[in-house]
């Protein structure tokens, strides 16, 4: 099946890194010629206003609190410190075939794809990121979740030697996230190993991170070392930190404000004006059915 992240993201058809590079070169050339505005307009029209955020911004404006809480901290502190190879992931809990498996073996049987998704942070900014990765459902299947498995819990590495941010108890480390099993098995849910056609950089959650494009960015947990199938709903780190402000579902929803700020609009990194936030981050046609009949304010 060809997955289209959203009807308006035609660029999903384009998976060739060369094209991204060409665009960057083109933009650089246009800027040099003093025609950036015109070129930008043309590109916007051609890409439905979802032009990928430049590689530079995606890899230097990050949230990865294990490496510091300022946006520029992870790009400074993570490369060179985070040892991403060898890497293995422990898969356990409610499944018939648990085990600890090396990253290569985990990915090898599954088709690697390039997909361009919007990323909307709960803080009110967004990007468009060309991810490379595998569909999470294809990875999870082989561990044969039992009928008791209703949720999936993910855990990030927590190593004080590698992660200077762990000295500060901002969150109760390790960083933990969770999905309902049907959300985890949804074809849009990706385990990313790269972006812009290259392996993930440490600051983006190398070597393996989750990407759930219809949920706030904090659900997209980085540098995963454990995946556990559970019967009970996991308590994710941000929910534990402040359950009133951060829920389990955390679906992007312009109608449910954060207690301290509006979620009705967002700033796309690289743009000046705020733009309206879309229900389910624009993926409603594909995911709204997962929440049929649910009160999305109570289950925020
Ligand atoms: N382990 C871990 N995963 C994390 C975070 C974090 O601090 N630690 N930050 C989250 C938040 S708030 C966002 S918006 C995204 C940012 O991903 P990016 O830096 O690759 O854009 O990662 C998410 N995953
Ligand atoms: Mo975020």
């Amino acid at each position: 099946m060809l997955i289209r992240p959203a009807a308006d993201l035609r660029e999903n058809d384009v998976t060739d890194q060369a094209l991204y590079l060409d665009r960057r070169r083109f933009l650089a050339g246009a800027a040099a010629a003093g025609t950036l505005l015109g070129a930008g307009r043309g590109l916007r029209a051609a890409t439905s206003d979802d032009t990928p955020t430049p590689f530079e911004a995606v890899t230097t404006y990050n949230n990865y609190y294990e490496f510091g809480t300022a946006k520029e901290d992870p790009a400074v502190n993570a490369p060179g410190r985070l040892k991403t190879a060898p890497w293995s992931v422990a898969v356990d809990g409610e499944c018939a075939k648990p085990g600890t498996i090396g990253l290569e073996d985990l990915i090898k049987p599954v088709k690697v794809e390039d997909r361009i998704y919007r990323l909307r942070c709960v803080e009110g900014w967004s990007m468009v990121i060309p991810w490379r990765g595998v569909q999470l459902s294809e990875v999870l299947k082989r561990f044969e979740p039992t009928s008791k498995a209703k949720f999936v819990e993910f855990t990030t590495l927590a190593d004080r030697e590698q992660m200077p941010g762990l000295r500060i108890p901002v969150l109760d480390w390790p960083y933990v996230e969770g999905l309902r099993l049907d959300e985890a098995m949804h074809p849009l849910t990706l385990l990313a190993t790269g972006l812009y056609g290259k392996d993930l950089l440490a600051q983006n959650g190398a070597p393996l991170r989750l990407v759930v494009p219809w949920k706030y960015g904090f659900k997209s947990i980085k540098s995963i070392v454990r995946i556990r199938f559970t019967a009970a709903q996991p308590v994710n780190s941000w929910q534990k930190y402040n359950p009133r402000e951060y829920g389990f579902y955390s679906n992007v929803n312009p109608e449910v404000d954060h207690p301290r700020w509006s979620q009705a609009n967002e700033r796309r990194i690289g743009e000046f004006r705020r733009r309206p936030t879309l229900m389910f981050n624009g993926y409603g046609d594909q995911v709204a059915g997962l929440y049929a009949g649910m009160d999305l304010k109570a289950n925020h």
Side-chain angles (χ1 to χ4, degrees):
M1 181 167 58
L2 179 67
I3 306 299
R4 293 179 183 277
D8 61 331
L9 262 191
R10 302 230 169 68
E11 286 235 327
N12 186 42
D13 296 337
V14 179
T15 57
D16 186 1
Q17 186 195 359
L19 199 112
Y20 304 133
L21 297 175
D22 273 356
R23 172 169 304 120
R24 292 186 68 207
R25 234 175 274 132
F26 171 63
L27 278 170
T35 56
L36 184 59
L37 191 65
R41 273 207 197 110
L43 285 171
R44 289 247 163 70
T47 58
S48 308
D49 231 16
D50 274 320
T51 304
T53 304
F55 180 82
E56 191 64 24
V58 175
T59 55
T60 57
Y61 185 93
N62 300 102
N63 275 335
Y64 197 169
Y65 280 14
E66 288 88 333
F67 292 97
T69 53
K71 294 286 179 285
E72 62 273 20
D73 287 345
V76 172
N77 295 328
R81 277 212 182 86
L82 180 67
K83 191 172 173 254
T84 57
W87 192 272
S88 57
V89 180
V91 184
D92 59 358
E94 296 293 347
C95 62
K97 303 229 161 90
T100 297
I101 180 161
L103 180 62
E104 302 277 287
D105 293 337
L106 191 71
I107 299 304
K108 206 185 293 160
V110 189
K111 185 167 64 108
V112 175
E113 299 174 54
D114 291 286
R115 298 189 189 179
I116 300 173
Y117 285 160
R118 289 176 287 272
L119 176 92
R120 168 57 157 86
C121 177
V122 73
E123 296 165 340
W125 54 266
S126 64
M127 296 189 186
V128 177
I129 304 180
W131 299 105
R132 170 164 288 183
V134 293
Q135 204 170 294
L136 177 63
S137 64
E138 298 305 299
V139 171
L140 295 185
K141 274 195 320 211
R142 71 189 266 193
F143 299 97
E144 300 180 11
T146 68
S147 58
K148 285 189 193 144
K150 298 285 184 273
F151 298 90
V152 190
E153 181 191 81
F154 304 84
T155 307
T156 295
L157 176 76
D159 180 355
R160 282 175 159 251
E161 303 276 296
Q162 300 180 57
M163 300 168 141
L166 295 194
R167 275 177 262 147
I168 308 143
V170 196
L171 294 171
D172 184 11
W173 315 112
Y175 194 103
V176 170
E177 257 309 335
L179 295 173
R180 229 168 50 189
L181 186 64
D182 59 347
E183 296 176 324
M185 299 308 258
H186 192 281
L188 279 178
T189 308
L190 205 65
L191 263 184
T193 56
L195 58 80
Y196 271 100
K198 295 193 254 277
D199 284 348
L200 284 177
L201 297 181
Q203 57 268 42
N204 294 105
L208 187 72
R209 60 91 57 88
L210 189 67
V211 180
V212 196
W214 71 95
K215 292 179 179 282
Y216 290 120
F218 67 83
K219 300 295 289 183
S220 294
I221 182 173
K222 296 178 168 180
S223 308
I224 296 166
V225 291
R226 187 181 183 195
I227 299 177
R228 191 162 71 100
F229 296 98
T230 67
Q233 184 171 302
V235 179
N236 47 309
S237 293
W238 280 103
Q239 188 189 11
K240 196 169 180 182
Y241 171 80
N242 189 338
R244 202 173 69 89
E245 297 190 352
Y246 308 100
F248 173 78
Y249 282 94
S250 300
N251 292 313
V252 174
N253 189 338
E255 285 155 28
V256 178
D257 286 339
H258 185 280
R260 291 183 282 127
W261 59 84
S262 164
Q263 294 292 27
N265 54 57
E266 66 200 55
R267 186 172 71 90
R268 179 68 53 84
I269 298 302
E271 293 181 1
F272 298 104
R273 271 166 198 267
R274 296 182 73 87
R275 54 163 72 205
T277 286
L278 306 174
M279 187 65 198
F280 296 114
N281 204 20
Y283 300 97
D285 56 336
Q286 294 166 81
V287 302
L290 292 169
Y291 312 102
M294 264 176 69
D295 177 343
L296 296 179
K297 200 169 161 66
N299 298 283
H300 70 95

